[in-house]
Amino acid sequence: MAATSDNEGNAQHAWDLMKKITFAMLATRDGEKIRSRPMAAYVRPEEGQIYFLTDARRHKDEEIAADHHVNLGFADAGSQKYVSVTGYAAISNDRAKIKELFGTAAKAWWDNPDDPNIRVLKVTPEEAEYWDSPGTIVSYVKMAVAAATGGRPDLGENRKVAI
């Protein structure tokens, strides 16, 4: 997969992949260490934001307060689609946004949107890179053909985009 540079259509494709995948590994810095955890993403391309609901009692909020740079890793291994996002995070107590985002995934952690421990984690993306393959079976066939012929397989698109 050859990487290419920015393009609005590619940026929209990155947003579309994130919306489809819906879960991301959120990576933050904890001093010299990098920590990741899975979180349900609320992808809002029209706002240029990715939101998460988080708990004020969790360590990631402190990590973001100390260093607001984050990375999000979206992955759908079954269909060979991946997006990596670098950006800036902020934590807020925006009760209207919490009520807007609160749904089935949030009910696993809190009883209702009025829980005083819920916070909104807002990520403003700066850059994304995506890999969009035609799927596992097709990719394996292309790899086998490339191995047999000595060529390189075309495994789909890889783009780096400013978003």
Side-chain angles (χ1 to χ4, degrees), residues 13-23 43 74 76 79 81 132:
H13 190 66
W15 283 108
D16 292 344
L17 287 170
M18 288 185 277
K19 280 184 87 165
K20 183 179 178 185
I21 296 170
T22 72
F23 278 86
V43 179
F74 292 82
D76 179 352
S79 58
K81 297 178 186 322
D132 187 359

mmCIF file with all atom_site columns, all heavy atoms in Angstrom, residues 13-23 43 74 76 79 81 132:
data_model
loop_
_atom_site.group_PDB
_atom_site.id
_atom_site.type_symbol
_atom_site.label_atom_id
_atom_site.label_alt_id
_atom_site.label_comp_id
_atom_site.label_asym_id
_atom_site.label_entity_id
_atom_site.label_seq_id
_atom_site.pdbx_PDB_ins_code
_atom_site.Cartn_x
_atom_site.Cartn_y
_atom_site.Cartn_z
_atom_site.occupancy
_atom_site.B_iso_or_equiv
_atom_site.pdbx_formal_charge
_atom_site.auth_seq_id
_atom_site.auth_comp_id
_atom_site.auth_asym_id
_atom_site.auth_atom_id
_atom_site.pdbx_PDB_model_num
ATOM 1   N N   . HIS A 1 13  ? -13.369 9.953  3.790  1.00 0.00 ? 13  HIS A N   1
ATOM 2   C CA  . HIS A 1 13  ? -13.319 8.490  3.862  1.00 0.00 ? 13  HIS A CA  1
ATOM 3   C C   . HIS A 1 13  ? -12.827 8.042  5.241  1.00 0.00 ? 13  HIS A C   1
ATOM 4   O O   . HIS A 1 13  ? -13.352 7.082  5.816  1.00 0.00 ? 13  HIS A O   1
ATOM 5   C CB  . HIS A 1 13  ? -12.428 7.923  2.749  1.00 0.00 ? 13  HIS A CB  1
ATOM 6   C CG  . HIS A 1 13  ? -12.524 6.442  2.617  1.00 0.00 ? 13  HIS A CG  1
ATOM 7   N ND1 . HIS A 1 13  ? -13.674 5.791  2.208  1.00 0.00 ? 13  HIS A ND1 1
ATOM 8   C CD2 . HIS A 1 13  ? -11.616 5.465  2.865  1.00 0.00 ? 13  HIS A CD2 1
ATOM 9   C CE1 . HIS A 1 13  ? -13.464 4.483  2.207  1.00 0.00 ? 13  HIS A CE1 1
ATOM 10  N NE2 . HIS A 1 13  ? -12.219 4.259  2.607  1.00 0.00 ? 13  HIS A NE2 1
ATOM 11  N N   . ALA A 1 14  ? -11.837 8.753  5.791  1.00 0.00 ? 14  ALA A N   1
ATOM 12  C CA  . ALA A 1 14  ? -11.352 8.442  7.142  1.00 0.00 ? 14  ALA A CA  1
ATOM 13  C C   . ALA A 1 14  ? -12.479 8.610  8.162  1.00 0.00 ? 14  ALA A C   1
ATOM 14  O O   . ALA A 1 14  ? -12.684 7.747  9.029  1.00 0.00 ? 14  ALA A O   1
ATOM 15  C CB  . ALA A 1 14  ? -10.161 9.332  7.499  1.00 0.00 ? 14  ALA A CB  1
ATOM 16  N N   . TRP A 1 15  ? -13.235 9.710  8.062  1.00 0.00 ? 15  TRP A N   1
ATOM 17  C CA  . TRP A 1 15  ? -14.374 9.922  8.971  1.00 0.00 ? 15  TRP A CA  1
ATOM 18  C C   . TRP A 1 15  ? -15.398 8.791  8.818  1.00 0.00 ? 15  TRP A C   1
ATOM 19  O O   . TRP A 1 15  ? -15.909 8.272  9.808  1.00 0.00 ? 15  TRP A O   1
ATOM 20  C CB  . TRP A 1 15  ? -15.055 11.261 8.678  1.00 0.00 ? 15  TRP A CB  1
ATOM 21  C CG  . TRP A 1 15  ? -14.348 12.469 9.194  1.00 0.00 ? 15  TRP A CG  1
ATOM 22  C CD1 . TRP A 1 15  ? -13.680 13.402 8.458  1.00 0.00 ? 15  TRP A CD1 1
ATOM 23  C CD2 . TRP A 1 15  ? -14.250 12.894 10.559 1.00 0.00 ? 15  TRP A CD2 1
ATOM 24  N NE1 . TRP A 1 15  ? -13.168 14.365 9.289  1.00 0.00 ? 15  TRP A NE1 1
ATOM 25  C CE2 . TRP A 1 15  ? -13.508 14.094 10.569 1.00 0.00 ? 15  TRP A CE2 1
ATOM 26  C CE3 . TRP A 1 15  ? -14.726 12.376 11.766 1.00 0.00 ? 15  TRP A CE3 1
ATOM 27  C CZ2 . TRP A 1 15  ? -13.227 14.780 11.752 1.00 0.00 ? 15  TRP A CZ2 1
ATOM 28  C CZ3 . TRP A 1 15  ? -14.448 13.065 12.949 1.00 0.00 ? 15  TRP A CZ3 1
ATOM 29  C CH2 . TRP A 1 15  ? -13.706 14.251 12.931 1.00 0.00 ? 15  TRP A CH2 1
ATOM 30  N N   . ASP A 1 16  ? -15.697 8.407  7.578  1.00 0.00 ? 16  ASP A N   1
ATOM 31  C CA  . ASP A 1 16  ? -16.677 7.339  7.332  1.00 0.00 ? 16  ASP A CA  1
ATOM 32  C C   . ASP A 1 16  ? -16.227 6.015  7.947  1.00 0.00 ? 16  ASP A C   1
ATOM 33  O O   . ASP A 1 16  ? -17.042 5.294  8.542  1.00 0.00 ? 16  ASP A O   1
ATOM 34  C CB  . ASP A 1 16  ? -16.918 7.164  5.833  1.00 0.00 ? 16  ASP A CB  1
ATOM 35  C CG  . ASP A 1 16  ? -17.632 8.354  5.197  1.00 0.00 ? 16  ASP A CG  1
ATOM 36  O OD1 . ASP A 1 16  ? -18.215 9.182  5.924  1.00 0.00 ? 16  ASP A OD1 1
ATOM 37  O OD2 . ASP A 1 16  ? -17.586 8.459  3.953  1.00 0.00 ? 16  ASP A OD2 1
ATOM 38  N N   . LEU A 1 17  ? -14.944 5.694  7.815  1.00 0.00 ? 17  LEU A N   1
ATOM 39  C CA  . LEU A 1 17  ? -14.431 4.456  8.422  1.00 0.00 ? 17  LEU A CA  1
ATOM 40  C C   . LEU A 1 17  ? -14.561 4.501  9.945  1.00 0.00 ? 17  LEU A C   1
ATOM 41  O O   . LEU A 1 17  ? -14.979 3.522  10.565 1.00 0.00 ? 17  LEU A O   1
ATOM 42  C CB  . LEU A 1 17  ? -12.970 4.226  8.023  1.00 0.00 ? 17  LEU A CB  1
ATOM 43  C CG  . LEU A 1 17  ? -12.719 3.784  6.590  1.00 0.00 ? 17  LEU A CG  1
ATOM 44  C CD1 . LEU A 1 17  ? -11.224 3.828  6.272  1.00 0.00 ? 17  LEU A CD1 1
ATOM 45  C CD2 . LEU A 1 17  ? -13.288 2.394  6.339  1.00 0.00 ? 17  LEU A CD2 1
ATOM 46  N N   . MET A 1 18  ? -14.219 5.641  10.557 1.00 0.00 ? 18  MET A N   1
ATOM 47  C CA  . MET A 1 18  ? -14.335 5.759  12.018 1.00 0.00 ? 18  MET A CA  1
ATOM 48  C C   . MET A 1 18  ? -15.779 5.574  12.467 1.00 0.00 ? 18  MET A C   1
ATOM 49  O O   . MET A 1 18  ? -16.037 4.891  13.468 1.00 0.00 ? 18  MET A O   1
ATOM 50  C CB  . MET A 1 18  ? -13.812 7.115  12.492 1.00 0.00 ? 18  MET A CB  1
ATOM 51  C CG  . MET A 1 18  ? -12.310 7.248  12.416 1.00 0.00 ? 18  MET A CG  1
ATOM 52  S SD  . MET A 1 18  ? -11.730 8.814  13.108 1.00 0.00 ? 18  MET A SD  1
ATOM 53  C CE  . MET A 1 18  ? -11.969 9.937  11.723 1.00 0.00 ? 18  MET A CE  1
ATOM 54  N N   . LYS A 1 19  ? -16.722 6.191  11.742 1.00 0.00 ? 19  LYS A N   1
ATOM 55  C CA  . LYS A 1 19  ? -18.141 6.058  12.108 1.00 0.00 ? 19  LYS A CA  1
ATOM 56  C C   . LYS A 1 19  ? -18.594 4.599  12.022 1.00 0.00 ? 19  LYS A C   1
ATOM 57  O O   . LYS A 1 19  ? -19.362 4.130  12.848 1.00 0.00 ? 19  LYS A O   1
ATOM 58  C CB  . LYS A 1 19  ? -19.019 6.927  11.196 1.00 0.00 ? 19  LYS A CB  1
ATOM 59  C CG  . LYS A 1 19  ? -19.029 8.378  11.586 1.00 0.00 ? 19  LYS A CG  1
ATOM 60  C CD  . LYS A 1 19  ? -19.972 9.177  10.733 1.00 0.00 ? 19  LYS A CD  1
ATOM 61  C CE  . LYS A 1 19  ? -21.344 9.096  11.353 1.00 0.00 ? 19  LYS A CE  1
ATOM 62  N NZ  . LYS A 1 19  ? -22.284 10.074 10.841 1.00 0.00 ? 19  LYS A NZ  1
ATOM 63  N N   . LYS A 1 20  ? -18.099 3.891  11.021 1.00 0.00 ? 20  LYS A N   1
ATOM 64  C CA  . LYS A 1 20  ? -18.487 2.490  10.826 1.00 0.00 ? 20  LYS A CA  1
ATOM 65  C C   . LYS A 1 20  ? -17.894 1.591  11.904 1.00 0.00 ? 20  LYS A C   1
ATOM 66  O O   . LYS A 1 20  ? -18.547 0.675  12.392 1.00 0.00 ? 20  LYS A O   1
ATOM 67  C CB  . LYS A 1 20  ? -18.049 2.030  9.437  1.00 0.00 ? 20  LYS A CB  1
ATOM 68  C CG  . LYS A 1 20  ? -18.470 0.620  9.119  1.00 0.00 ? 20  LYS A CG  1
ATOM 69  C CD  . LYS A 1 20  ? -18.045 0.216  7.722  1.00 0.00 ? 20  LYS A CD  1
ATOM 70  C CE  . LYS A 1 20  ? -18.443 -1.228 7.478  1.00 0.00 ? 20  LYS A CE  1
ATOM 71  N NZ  . LYS A 1 20  ? -17.965 -1.729 6.212  1.00 0.00 ? 20  LYS A NZ  1
ATOM 72  N N   . ILE A 1 21  ? -16.647 1.839  12.294 1.00 0.00 ? 21  ILE A N   1
ATOM 73  C CA  . ILE A 1 21  ? -15.971 0.969  13.261 1.00 0.00 ? 21  ILE A CA  1
ATOM 74  C C   . ILE A 1 21  ? -16.505 1.188  14.678 1.00 0.00 ? 21  ILE A C   1
ATOM 75  O O   . ILE A 1 21  ? -16.691 0.231  15.422 1.00 0.00 ? 21  ILE A O   1
ATOM 76  C CB  . ILE A 1 21  ? -14.440 1.155  13.174 1.00 0.00 ? 21  ILE A CB  1
ATOM 77  C CG1 . ILE A 1 21  ? -13.951 0.698  11.791 1.00 0.00 ? 21  ILE A CG1 1
ATOM 78  C CG2 . ILE A 1 21  ? -13.738 0.381  14.283 1.00 0.00 ? 21  ILE A CG2 1
ATOM 79  C CD1 . ILE A 1 21  ? -12.497 1.053  11.481 1.00 0.00 ? 21  ILE A CD1 1
ATOM 80  N N   . THR A 1 22  ? -16.742 2.399  15.088 1.00 0.00 ? 22  THR A N   1
ATOM 81  C CA  . THR A 1 22  ? -17.389 2.830  16.348 1.00 0.00 ? 22  THR A CA  1
ATOM 82  C C   . THR A 1 22  ? -16.596 2.660  17.644 1.00 0.00 ? 22  THR A C   1
ATOM 83  O O   . THR A 1 22  ? -16.915 3.346  18.610 1.00 0.00 ? 22  THR A O   1
ATOM 84  C CB  . THR A 1 22  ? -18.788 2.212  16.566 1.00 0.00 ? 22  THR A CB  1
ATOM 85  O OG1 . THR A 1 22  ? -18.688 0.836  16.879 1.00 0.00 ? 22  THR A OG1 1
ATOM 86  C CG2 . THR A 1 22  ? -19.707 2.439  15.383 1.00 0.00 ? 22  THR A CG2 1
ATOM 87  N N   . PHE A 1 23  ? -15.638 1.791  17.727 1.00 0.00 ? 23  PHE A N   1
ATOM 88  C CA  . PHE A 1 23  ? -14.831 1.666  18.941 1.00 0.00 ? 23  PHE A CA  1
ATOM 89  C C   . PHE A 1 23  ? -13.397 2.030  18.619 1.00 0.00 ? 23  PHE A C   1
ATOM 90  O O   . PHE A 1 23  ? -12.907 1.738  17.532 1.00 0.00 ? 23  PHE A O   1
ATOM 91  C CB  . PHE A 1 23  ? -14.885 0.244  19.520 1.00 0.00 ? 23  PHE A CB  1
ATOM 92  C CG  . PHE A 1 23  ? -16.105 0.011  20.350 1.00 0.00 ? 23  PHE A CG  1
ATOM 93  C CD1 . PHE A 1 23  ? -17.284 -0.397 19.751 1.00 0.00 ? 23  PHE A CD1 1
ATOM 94  C CD2 . PHE A 1 23  ? -16.087 0.218  21.720 1.00 0.00 ? 23  PHE A CD2 1
ATOM 95  C CE1 . PHE A 1 23  ? -18.425 -0.592 20.500 1.00 0.00 ? 23  PHE A CE1 1
ATOM 96  C CE2 . PHE A 1 23  ? -17.228 0.023  22.480 1.00 0.00 ? 23  PHE A CE2 1
ATOM 97  C CZ  . PHE A 1 23  ? -18.406 -0.387 21.877 1.00 0.00 ? 23  PHE A CZ  1
ATOM 98  N N   . VAL A 1 43  ? -18.510 9.589  16.718 1.00 0.00 ? 43  VAL A N   1
ATOM 99  C CA  . VAL A 1 43  ? -17.795 10.290 15.655 1.00 0.00 ? 43  VAL A CA  1
ATOM 100 C C   . VAL A 1 43  ? -18.739 11.314 15.032 1.00 0.00 ? 43  VAL A C   1
ATOM 101 O O   . VAL A 1 43  ? -19.813 10.967 14.541 1.00 0.00 ? 43  VAL A O   1
ATOM 102 C CB  . VAL A 1 43  ? -17.285 9.277  14.601 1.00 0.00 ? 43  VAL A CB  1
ATOM 103 C CG1 . VAL A 1 43  ? -16.569 9.978  13.471 1.00 0.00 ? 43  VAL A CG1 1
ATOM 104 C CG2 . VAL A 1 43  ? -16.379 8.237  15.272 1.00 0.00 ? 43  VAL A CG2 1
ATOM 105 N N   . PHE A 1 74  ? -8.643  2.932  15.517 1.00 0.00 ? 74  PHE A N   1
ATOM 106 C CA  . PHE A 1 74  ? -9.883  2.254  15.134 1.00 0.00 ? 74  PHE A CA  1
ATOM 107 C C   . PHE A 1 74  ? -9.487  1.039  14.314 1.00 0.00 ? 74  PHE A C   1
ATOM 108 O O   . PHE A 1 74  ? -8.670  1.157  13.397 1.00 0.00 ? 74  PHE A O   1
ATOM 109 C CB  . PHE A 1 74  ? -10.755 3.164  14.262 1.00 0.00 ? 74  PHE A CB  1
ATOM 110 C CG  . PHE A 1 74  ? -11.333 4.358  14.963 1.00 0.00 ? 74  PHE A CG  1
ATOM 111 C CD1 . PHE A 1 74  ? -10.581 5.505  15.135 1.00 0.00 ? 74  PHE A CD1 1
ATOM 112 C CD2 . PHE A 1 74  ? -12.633 4.333  15.434 1.00 0.00 ? 74  PHE A CD2 1
ATOM 113 C CE1 . PHE A 1 74  ? -11.110 6.620  15.768 1.00 0.00 ? 74  PHE A CE1 1
ATOM 114 C CE2 . PHE A 1 74  ? -13.175 5.436  16.062 1.00 0.00 ? 74  PHE A CE2 1
ATOM 115 C CZ  . PHE A 1 74  ? -12.410 6.588  16.234 1.00 0.00 ? 74  PHE A CZ  1
ATOM 116 N N   . ASP A 1 76  ? -11.113 -2.665 12.421 1.00 0.00 ? 76  ASP A N   1
ATOM 117 C CA  . ASP A 1 76  ? -12.060 -3.716 12.083 1.00 0.00 ? 76  ASP A CA  1
ATOM 118 C C   . ASP A 1 76  ? -11.242 -4.773 11.348 1.00 0.00 ? 76  ASP A C   1
ATOM 119 O O   . ASP A 1 76  ? -11.120 -4.748 10.116 1.00 0.00 ? 76  ASP A O   1
ATOM 120 C CB  . ASP A 1 76  ? -13.190 -3.172 11.207 1.00 0.00 ? 76  ASP A CB  1
ATOM 121 C CG  . ASP A 1 76  ? -14.198 -4.235 10.815 1.00 0.00 ? 76  ASP A CG  1
ATOM 122 O OD1 . ASP A 1 76  ? -13.963 -5.434 11.094 1.00 0.00 ? 76  ASP A OD1 1
ATOM 123 O OD2 . ASP A 1 76  ? -15.227 -3.880 10.209 1.00 0.00 ? 76  ASP A OD2 1
ATOM 124 N N   . SER A 1 79  ? -12.710 -6.995 8.389  1.00 0.00 ? 79  SER A N   1
ATOM 125 C CA  . SER A 1 79  ? -12.799 -6.456 7.029  1.00 0.00 ? 79  SER A CA  1
ATOM 126 C C   . SER A 1 79  ? -11.545 -5.678 6.637  1.00 0.00 ? 79  SER A C   1
ATOM 127 O O   . SER A 1 79  ? -11.533 -5.008 5.608  1.00 0.00 ? 79  SER A O   1
ATOM 128 C CB  . SER A 1 79  ? -14.050 -5.588 6.876  1.00 0.00 ? 79  SER A CB  1
ATOM 129 O OG  . SER A 1 79  ? -14.048 -4.544 7.806  1.00 0.00 ? 79  SER A OG  1
ATOM 130 N N   . LYS A 1 81  ? -9.960  -2.992 7.883  1.00 0.00 ? 81  LYS A N   1
ATOM 131 C CA  . LYS A 1 81  ? -10.087 -1.538 7.816  1.00 0.00 ? 81  LYS A CA  1
ATOM 132 C C   . LYS A 1 81  ? -9.569  -0.952 9.129  1.00 0.00 ? 81  LYS A C   1
ATOM 133 O O   . LYS A 1 81  ? -9.964  -1.389 10.209 1.00 0.00 ? 81  LYS A O   1
ATOM 134 C CB  . LYS A 1 81  ? -11.539 -1.141 7.570  1.00 0.00 ? 81  LYS A CB  1
ATOM 135 C CG  . LYS A 1 81  ? -12.021 -1.665 6.222  1.00 0.00 ? 81  LYS A CG  1
ATOM 136 C CD  . LYS A 1 81  ? -13.450 -1.360 5.949  1.00 0.00 ? 81  LYS A CD  1
ATOM 137 C CE  . LYS A 1 81  ? -13.969 -1.998 4.689  1.00 0.00 ? 81  LYS A CE  1
ATOM 138 N NZ  . LYS A 1 81  ? -13.128 -2.085 3.547  1.00 0.00 ? 81  LYS A NZ  1
ATOM 139 N N   . ASP A 1 132 ? -7.541  0.737  4.066  1.00 0.00 ? 132 ASP A N   1
ATOM 140 C CA  . ASP A 1 132 ? -8.847  0.211  3.684  1.00 0.00 ? 132 ASP A CA  1
ATOM 141 C C   . ASP A 1 132 ? -8.633  -0.870 2.626  1.00 0.00 ? 132 ASP A C   1
ATOM 142 O O   . ASP A 1 132 ? -8.380  -0.590 1.471  1.00 0.00 ? 132 ASP A O   1
ATOM 143 C CB  . ASP A 1 132 ? -9.723  1.335  3.142  1.00 0.00 ? 132 ASP A CB  1
ATOM 144 C CG  . ASP A 1 132 ? -11.154 0.890  2.885  1.00 0.00 ? 132 ASP A CG  1
ATOM 145 O OD1 . ASP A 1 132 ? -11.476 -0.292 3.114  1.00 0.00 ? 132 ASP A OD1 1
ATOM 146 O OD2 . ASP A 1 132 ? -11.962 1.741  2.455  1.00 0.00 ? 132 ASP A OD2 1
#
